[in-house]
Amino acid sequence: YVFWQSAFCKRSADQFLGKRNGLGEILFNGVDTRRFCPSEKHSAGGRFRFLVSGKIGRHLAYRVEESIEALAIVHKQGLNAEFVVPSWLDEEVLKTSKRLINQLNITDYVVFTGSYSQEQAPEIYRSSNVYLMTKHNDPCPNTVLEAMASGLPVIYSESGGVPELVESSAGIPLNCKESYEEVQRVDVFELAEAMLTASTEYIKMSEAARSRAQEKFCIHLMIIFFKK
């Protein structure tokens, strides 16, 4: 019996390993919705806060770069926002990102805080407003589930398993081809537009994100189900 983390994982397994004749089903990752939960959002200086987290090596540098570029665009549109990256970043990625920030003149609006522990994770989400997940073909990221459980809408690359987790009510999809040959990046202007939309429809989308996490991915409901 096989569990696939998402339908994307099943499609990938079928393509590269051959279709399975035996039994199996989709079983998404779960999230502790009691630990990851919303609070009254606060922001530094009244800024709307966009968040990216995770370990970011050179192959994922585009996640940070395109978010920085999009932030510069929304600033020109009048949105008082900041971009926070509580992540381990490859040294070269950090250098390149800081150079880009300086070029775009948004030094005061991007914050790199370094790696965090799982004990710190809930508060990091609670202190932010929207989660950015533009990684291509991510199969079933826990960070997305933790963000939604914390009431953060997710702006995401429409590839991999993430569209199955978020759906349109809890976030905003960005056009992206599903390719196994090369990494597909989202359009920076489309990302910026989604960031602006999320800032204006934040309350509704935040409630939808939290509800979806509770109904579909709550680890406590999964435990009860399997005990039965």
Side-chain angles (χ1 to χ4, degrees):
Y1 200 93
V2 170
F3 290 107
W4 296 278
Q5 282 182 298
S6 60
F8 166 73
C9 289
K10 185 178 185 305
R11 290 196 304 274
S12 301
D14 287 348
Q15 177 163 335
F16 293 103
L17 302 176
K19 290 194 175 182
R20 177 175 170 76
N21 294 322
L23 297 174
E25 66 178 285
I26 308 297
L27 180 64
F28 296 109
N29 293 344
V31 62
D32 187 341
T33 57
R34 297 173 188 170
R35 185 163 175 263
F36 291 91
C37 56
S39 67
E40 291 296 324
K41 294 292 186 294
H42 62 277
S43 54
R47 293 175 184 169
F48 196 84
R49 180 174 289 180
F50 295 96
L51 173 70
V52 164
S53 63
K55 187 176 180 179
I56 299 178
R58 296 187 188 188
H59 66 297
L60 293 175
Y62 65 91
R63 284 189 67 192
V64 177
E65 293 167 4
E66 59 200 15
S67 298
I68 291 170
E69 292 172 0
L71 182 71
I73 294 171
V74 301
H75 263 275
K76 290 179 180 178
Q77 298 294 322
L79 179 63
N80 182 18
E82 64 181 0
F83 173 42
V84 178
V85 191
S87 311
W88 176 90
L89 271 71
D90 176 90
E91 187 176 335
E92 188 59 34
V93 175
L94 187 58
K95 281 183 184 177
T96 303
S97 298
K98 287 184 175 180
R99 193 179 307 125
L100 180 60
I101 292 164
N102 289 330
Q103 290 173 354
L104 296 172
N105 196 29
I106 53 172
T107 307
D108 295 335
Y109 302 97
V110 182
V111 183
F112 297 101
T113 61
S115 301
Y116 63 91
S117 66
Q118 268 300 303
E119 288 72 25
Q120 296 170 307
E123 185 52 39
I124 286 172
Y125 288 108
R126 280 194 285 268
S127 65
S128 301
N129 297 102
V130 173
Y131 191 73
L132 305 180
M133 171 48 81
T134 59
K135 181 179 177 182
H136 182 241
N137 278 359
D138 204 323
C140 186
N142 280 15
T143 55
V144 165
L145 299 178
E146 291 168 354
M148 289 197 300
S150 304
L152 275 64
V154 181
I155 297 174
Y156 60 97
S157 163
E158 200 168 26
S159 66
V162 178
E164 302 168 51
L165 304 181
V166 184
E167 292 194 337
S168 58
S169 63
I172 302 174
L174 305 173
N175 291 314
C176 188
K177 290 190 293 186
E178 189 174 287
S179 169
Y180 292 109
E181 283 69 41
E182 58 182 346
V183 171
Q184 302 292 313
R185 295 182 57 168
V186 301
D187 180 80
V188 172
F189 291 96
E190 186 182 0
L191 173 56
E193 185 62 33
M195 291 164 74
L196 290 169
T197 299
S199 70
T200 59
E201 300 183 14
Y202 169 68
I203 295 177
K204 178 179 69 175
M205 295 177 69
S206 173
E207 291 173 352
R210 172 64 179 174
S211 294
R212 183 161 175 78
Q214 287 179 303
E215 293 169 10
K216 300 290 185 182
F217 309 110
C218 178
I219 193 68
H220 303 290
L221 296 180
M222 291 182 179
I223 291 170
I224 292 170
F225 174 80
F226 281 111
K227 279 184 176 178
K228 289 181 180 179

